[in-house]
Amino acid sequence: MARAAEQRALRTPGFPTAFGVLLRMQLARARRSWRQYLIVSSAMPSGIVILLRAMTADPPRALALQVIAGNVVLSVAITAIAMLAQQVAWMRQNRTFDYYHTLPVGNGAVILAILVAYLLFAVPGMAVVLLVGAMDYGTHVALSVGLVPAVLLTGVALSGIGALIGMQARDGELAGLVGNLVMMAVLFLGIIPQAHLPVAMRVVADLLPSTYGVRLLLLLLSGGASPGAWLIDGGILVLFAAGLFLLVERLSYRIG
């Protein structure tokens, strides 16, 4: 009995190893589809930035940064919500999770690898939006290492929403429809300052992790992020990301 347990322990890789292998499996898809992800995650947000700039004459810097930050988060939402929801629904329909459950890896590593892969697919689009926004509005954008954890937390939280939609939707078409509706909510509630929203819409905005991601990115891009902002908005993003990750992990066990 003890020897059998030792052999199973030797055959079962640790979480970092399993996660690395599964992430490489997911990223292997990018060899043939990275161009589509780049176009999709950058064209729409960049177009919205250019359109809003054309409609406003000499906008203040605060408004320019709000538009840029909102569209950076939209770039993440396109892949992390809309496209991931369809992919997870397809995986569920084709019983792909059954295959993963036969591997000697934890379910958490599988789910996290899928979420992180789709977040990485959005990175080129975010860079394009930042570049287009700064050039078109002619405003200074403060770049700092704080952008990395802020985008990571926002992306994992939004990916959790996309995966949750894919887990619950009847099929890929419905998952895509619901994902696009949530993505549009992220767009409109992200580029409009919360103080200008009706009270009912403010309540909806408070329920979306993208609101706190936009708020944190706005402070970082303006160079005014403080430890208090990180504690509040960053802490809320951590709660969203952890809660959605655990929920999706539990649902994937039920599906498998």
Side-chain angles (χ1 to χ4, degrees), residues 117-155:
Y118 271 79
L119 172 60
L120 293 177
F121 291 153
V123 171
M126 290 186 288
V128 171
V129 173
L130 280 172
L131 179 62
V132 170
M135 292 178 60
D136 199 23
Y137 279 92
T139 186
H140 171 69
V141 174
L143 300 178
S144 66
V145 294
L147 289 172
V148 176
V151 168
L152 180 62
L153 288 174
T154 304

Side-chain angles (χ1 to χ4, degrees), residues 52 60-70 186-199 201-202 205-206 211 214-215 218:
L52 292 178
R61 184 169 184 260
L63 178 60
L65 292 178
Q66 178 79 39
V67 171
I68 294 172
V186 170
L187 166 62
F188 290 116
L189 297 177
I191 63 176
I192 301 175
Q194 200 167 0
H196 297 171
L197 293 172
V199 176
M201 296 303 293
R202 293 181 197 175
D206 289 337
T211 300
V214 170
R215 189 183 300 170
L218 183 59

Side-chain angles (χ1 to χ4, degrees), residues 74-96:
L74 173 63
S75 180
V76 179
I78 290 174
T79 55
I81 296 180
M83 300 178 72
L84 179 57
Q86 290 180 294
Q87 176 65 17
V88 170
W90 179 88
M91 294 173 66
R92 182 174 55 81
Q93 282 184 295
N94 291 273
R95 306 186 68 86
T96 306

